[in-house]
């Protein structure tokens, strides 16, 4: 079993920054890709960014150039640095992981409980 615990959400003004963290525990050796999804009120959950164990990252077009995902394998932690935040970034952000490197295709295996990010206009 893998547990993912997010932290760092909160309220920020438009144009501001936040950094989300996600610490993994349990059977961490089974984790391959890690990343972040988000779900805004009334909208479907969407992929924000994902990073492989080797550090290869992919981003949703809506966050490219503003968000940066990083990973510290020694600490079993993944981060999401969010800059130039917009009201449309308001959502619950979920930390995710998979055990085969194909989570973005076939579904993530591990989910955190989420942390709320609110961007005020």
């Amino acid at each position: 079993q893998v547990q993912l615990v997010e932290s760092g959400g909160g309220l920020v003004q438009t144009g501001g920054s936040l950094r989300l963290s996600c610490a993994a525990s349990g059977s961490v050796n089974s984790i391959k890709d890690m990343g972040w999804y988000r779900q805004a009120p009334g909208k479907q959950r969407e992929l924000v960014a994902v990073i492989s164990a080797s550090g290869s990252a992919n981003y949703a077009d809506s966050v490219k150039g503003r968000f940066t995902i990083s990973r510290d394998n020694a600490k079993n932690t993944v981060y999401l640095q969010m800059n130039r935040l917009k009201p449309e970034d308001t959502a619950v952000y979920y930390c995710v992981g998979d055990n085969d490197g194909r989570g973005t295709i076939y579904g993530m295996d591990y989910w955190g409980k989420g942390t709320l990010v609110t961007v005020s206009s």
Side-chain angles (χ1 to χ4, degrees):
Q1 287 283 8
V2 171
Q3 294 79 43
L4 302 175
V5 178
E6 305 97 337
S7 61
L11 174 65
V12 64
Q13 291 186 333
T14 296
S17 298
L18 279 176
R19 189 174 87 148
L20 305 183
S21 300
C22 170
S25 61
S27 302
V28 296
N29 289 336
S30 67
I31 302 174
K32 302 300 181 186
D33 291 354
M34 295 187 74
W36 297 89
Y37 275 70
R38 68 184 180 186
Q39 187 166 22
K43 295 188 177 181
Q44 289 189 333
R45 197 172 291 181
E46 63 174 355
L47 175 67
V48 177
V50 64
I51 186 168
S52 69
S54 62
S56 177
N58 286 290
Y59 299 90
D61 287 343
S62 58
V63 307
K64 281 181 182 177
R66 300 188 298 122
F67 290 11
T68 302
I69 190 170
S70 60
R71 181 171 177 171
D72 186 334
N73 291 325
K75 295 183 179 180
N76 300 311
T77 300
V78 64
Y79 305 96
L80 185 68
Q81 178 66 43
M82 304 185 293
N83 298 328
R84 304 201 317 269
L85 282 160
K86 305 175 181 180
E88 50 264 44
D89 294 317
T90 295
V92 176
Y93 284 71
Y94 297 91
C95 180
V96 297
D98 68 31
N99 57 21
D100 59 8
R102 297 179 293 177
T104 57
I105 301 173
Y106 299 111
M108 291 293 176
D109 298 290
Y110 314 116
W111 290 79
K113 293 184 178 181
T115 185
L116 177 63
V117 172
T118 303
V119 184
S120 64
S121 57

